[in-house]
């Protein structure tokens, strides 16, 4: 077939356009499917955010439905680190951050144990979604809603900013920022309680024998509970591999280094749970017209990491 001058020009133009599009492709992408926003790296979903209301398993009280949580969180090899709706705690949702003991307009309310039907947290809307050569980021609004006495009233607004950076070697980084503000002219008070805030229910693959935790203070699963930490390194066996996650608390956070809740050996048949609970030891009052912020970094990895590596990640985080 003989190419005319026009067809040759068209061919060159198409090749140029294709090259330009290819060069503009970002390593990370964002997709929405079946109620989940996913951040994806080279066809591998890294983190999922459940924005649609997810019903509980069949036969379980509908009070345990929820939206606004992270699941799954996967390693680069595709190993899932989170678990939702476990039979021992149907109100556990992968990684999520409700408050357990609060006071709003004279009522004591529980946004964590949603089976009590006092209150819940729900996804309300998305803000900006931004993809660059270095990271993918999205913003979302959570409403902390009073259900008690059929109020269905929003007491607290929370803007979440979630940024996932391009992976390096065997790990990638997720930055979380939670900005809280009162939704009404009434104050919102979080009372001291032993668990509330950013919690992580670990994969069902882990148990006492094949996983471990160590904190920035050298505490392990045997003695970490009721202590404080800058970071927690949780890792274990995943199929024929190993992997895990480091949870880092920013030095600017309320009550830092933060009190933590860690299930000790033998609890709930060896299931794993870790929680940064800034209000474990003291109350926190949110006043109308002000914004209150918590910041965390997650380092998700395959293979094994050392406490020295975790400490270096924390120093990099707070010195940026």
């Amino acid at each position: 077939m003989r190419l005319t001058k026009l067809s040759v020009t068209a061919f060159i133009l198409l090749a140029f356009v294709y090259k330009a599009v290819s060069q503009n492709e970002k390593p990370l992408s964002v997709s929405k499917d079946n109620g989940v926003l996913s951040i994806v790296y080279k066809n591998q979903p890294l983190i999922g955010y459940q924005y649609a209301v997810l019903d509980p398993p069949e036969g379980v009280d509908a009070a345990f439905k929820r939206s606004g949580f992270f699941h799954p969180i996967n390693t680069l090899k595709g190993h899932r680190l989170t678990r939702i709706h476990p039979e021992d705690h149907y109100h556990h949702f992968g990684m999520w951050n409700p408050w357990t003991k609060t006071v709003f307009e004279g009522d004591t309310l529980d946004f964590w144990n949603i089976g009590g039907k006092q209150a819940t947290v729900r996804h309300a809307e998305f803000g900006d979604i931004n993809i660059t050569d270095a990271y993918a980021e999205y913003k979302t609004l959570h409403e902390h809603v009073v259900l008690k006495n059929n109020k269905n009233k929003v007491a607290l607004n929370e803007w979440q900013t979630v940024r996932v950076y391009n992976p390096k070697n065997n790990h990638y980084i997720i930055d979380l920022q939670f900005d809280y503000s009162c939704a009404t002219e009434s104050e919102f008070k979080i009372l001291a309680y032993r668990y509330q805030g950013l919690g992580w229910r670990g994969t069902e693959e882990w148990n006492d024998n094949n996983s471990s935790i160590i904190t920035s203070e050298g505490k392990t699963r045997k003695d970490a509970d009721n202590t404080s930490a800058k970071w927690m390194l949780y890792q274990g066996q995943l199929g024929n591999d190993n992997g895990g996650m480091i949870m880092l608390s920013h030095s600017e956070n309320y009550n830092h280094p933060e009190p933590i809740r860690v299930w000790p050996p033998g609890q709930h048949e060896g299931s794993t749970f870790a929680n940064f609970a800034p209000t474990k030891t003291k109350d926190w009052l949110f006043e109308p017209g002000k914004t209150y912020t918590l910041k965390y970094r997650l380092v998700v990895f395959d293979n094994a990491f050392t406490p020295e590596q975790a400490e270096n990640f924390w120093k990099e985080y707070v010195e940026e």
Side-chain angles (χ1 to χ4, degrees):
M1 183 176 110
R2 186 165 62 91
L3 293 175
T4 65
K5 183 177 180 181
L6 180 61
S7 61
V8 169
T9 302
F11 178 82
I12 293 173
L13 180 60
L14 286 172
F16 175 82
V17 171
Y18 175 79
K19 183 178 180 181
V21 170
S22 298
Q23 288 177 339
N24 288 331
E25 286 181 353
K26 307 294 192 241
L28 294 166
S29 61
V30 177
S31 64
K32 293 181 183 178
D33 182 51
N34 199 30
V36 178
L37 179 148
S38 297
I39 296 181
V40 179
Y41 175 72
K42 295 182 178 179
N43 297 319
Q44 169 61 48
L46 299 182
I47 181 172
Y49 167 73
Q50 179 76 35
Y51 63 86
V53 174
L54 182 70
D55 290 326
E58 187 175 353
V60 177
D61 193 330
F64 290 103
K65 63 184 179 181
R66 230 203 89 156
S67 62
F69 56 89
F70 304 113
H71 177 77
I73 299 177
N74 297 321
T75 72
L76 290 172
K77 289 185 178 180
H79 295 295
R80 175 172 51 80
L81 298 178
T82 52
R83 182 182 184 186
I84 60 172
H85 281 145
E87 291 183 1
D88 54 20
H89 290 75
Y90 285 119
H91 56 281
H92 280 193
F93 293 92
M95 181 170 282
W96 75 125
N97 61 316
W99 304 108
T100 308
K101 194 172 184 180
T102 71
V103 176
F104 175 70
E105 296 184 343
D107 256 336
T108 302
L109 301 163
D110 186 344
F111 292 81
W112 182 293
N113 298 287
I114 55 178
K117 303 178 183 180
Q118 295 183 0
T120 192
V121 181
R122 67 189 180 199
H123 164 84
E125 64 180 81
F126 281 109
D128 295 335
I129 296 177
N130 188 25
I131 303 173
T132 74
D133 291 328
Y135 60 81
E137 178 183 271
Y138 71 89
K139 294 185 178 182
T140 183
L141 174 63
H142 284 185
E143 295 176 336
H144 297 241
V145 187
V146 179
L147 302 177
K148 191 175 179 180
N149 299 323
N150 296 314
K151 279 189 176 181
N152 197 34
K153 182 176 184 178
V154 180
L156 184 69
N157 287 322
E158 171 198 350
W159 276 102
Q160 288 193 355
T161 304
V162 180
R163 176 179 291 184
V164 178
Y165 293 89
N166 287 336
K168 295 181 179 179
N169 301 319
N170 64 338
H171 72 275
Y172 67 95
I173 288 173
I174 306 169
D175 278 350
L176 306 175
Q177 180 167 317
F178 307 141
D179 294 312
Y180 297 96
S181 60
C182 295
T184 72
E185 293 304 311
S186 301
E187 63 184 27
F188 186 92
K189 189 173 187 180
I190 306 167
L191 303 179
Y193 193 72
R194 62 193 180 93
Y195 62 85
Q196 53 190 342
L198 185 64
W200 168 28
R201 182 61 187 264
T203 170
E204 61 271 30
E205 288 192 63
W206 284 354
N207 55 53
D208 289 337
N209 300 317
N210 68 0
S211 65
S212 66
I213 186 171
I214 189 165
T215 75
S216 57
E217 313 312 303
K219 302 297 183 181
T220 69
R221 196 167 180 181
K222 292 181 179 179
D223 57 2
D225 194 32
N226 295 318
T227 65
S228 296
K230 299 180 297 183
W231 51 259
M232 294 184 279
L233 165 59
Y234 226 133
Q235 58 190 326
Q237 185 175 346
L238 298 167
N240 295 322
D241 300 314
N242 288 280
M245 180 160 56
I246 312 170
M247 300 174 67
L248 304 106
S249 162
H250 200 281
S251 56
E252 296 175 357
N253 283 0
Y254 183 77
N255 204 14
H256 181 89
E258 290 188 43
I260 59 175
R261 168 70 172 145
V262 174
W263 282 354
Q267 197 161 76
H268 305 295
E269 299 182 348
S271 296
T272 58
F273 173 77
N275 170 214
F276 273 124
T279 53
K280 189 170 187 172
T281 57
K282 63 179 182 179
D283 301 345
W284 193 8
L285 178 64
F286 292 171
E287 297 178 319
K290 297 181 180 180
T291 299
Y292 302 84
T293 299
L294 290 171
K295 295 187 287 187
Y296 300 95
R297 172 166 287 181
L298 311 175
V299 182
V300 183
F301 60 88
D302 288 295
N303 303 328
F305 270 27
T306 66
E308 291 75 21
Q309 287 174 297
E311 179 68 15
N312 287 336
F313 275 115
W314 185 80
K315 288 178 179 178
E316 290 175 3
Y317 180 39
V318 299
E319 290 172 2
E320 288 180 353

